[in-house]
Amino acid sequence: MEKKEFENEYARFWIENGIVFFVYKPNTVIDHEAAKKIVADRIQFQNKADFPVYCDIRGLKSADKAARDYLAKEGSSFTKGVAVLVDSPMSKIIGNFYMGLNRPTTPTRLFTNGDEALKYLQQFAS
């Protein structure tokens, strides 16, 4: 039977209605090595299949520049589209600025509302 849920030291993820849900644990701090592990674990969990991804980063306390750069590029691997859930309008502004500098390779949007994020991802679900 295929894995339904996976957890590592940084996040928990599962597949529901054709969407990968990826939720950072509270107060998570990541560096470049952690970013590589996070992406590798997600890709392995997805069995290298493309999925829309709901990424809840509200538990993320910090990520160094190398981690952010890695996630902006490699973090888009095996995704059809990404909705990033942030905790405030200011986080959304900062995130959109950052995404403008480090353009993700798949359609990516930031949201402060989880329902809106899911609605956005429906267009990528098969």
Side-chain angles (χ1 to χ4, degrees):
M1 177 136 229
E2 193 174 330
K3 293 177 266 183
K4 296 288 185 211
E5 189 172 327
F6 182 83
E7 185 173 335
N8 63 22
E9 56 268 41
Y10 309 103
R12 195 170 66 87
F13 30 103
W14 66 93
I15 298 172
E16 189 176 317
N17 298 325
I19 295 171
V20 171
F21 287 79
F22 182 97
V23 179
Y24 279 102
K25 293 180 178 179
N27 300 310
T28 297
V29 175
I30 58 174
D31 60 12
H32 186 247
E33 289 304 310
K36 292 192 324 192
K37 178 171 179 28
I38 290 163
V39 172
D41 284 350
R42 181 186 54 78
I43 290 170
Q44 183 177 356
F45 174 74
Q46 292 175 215
N47 201 26
K48 295 186 177 180
D50 291 341
F51 280 91
V53 176
Y54 177 100
C55 185
D56 183 343
I57 67 169
R58 295 175 298 173
L60 189 60
K61 184 175 181 180
S62 68
D64 68 17
K65 184 176 182 334
R68 291 190 310 265
D69 291 346
Y70 186 85
L71 292 170
K73 298 295 181 198
E74 304 302 324
S76 296
S77 300
F78 297 98
T79 64
K80 294 179 180 180
V82 180
V84 181
L85 186 62
V86 297
D87 58 6
S88 71
M90 183 54 74
S91 296
K92 187 175 176 184
I93 290 167
I94 293 167
N96 280 324
F97 174 76
Y98 184 77
M99 285 191 338
L101 296 175
N102 298 281
R103 301 194 185 279
T105 55
T106 55
T108 304
R109 286 189 49 199
L110 277 74
F111 296 88
T112 54
N113 179 294
D115 291 336
E116 290 176 13
L118 285 173
K119 190 178 215 178
Y120 168 76
L121 289 175
Q122 290 305 316
Q123 66 186 306
F124 304 108
S126 44

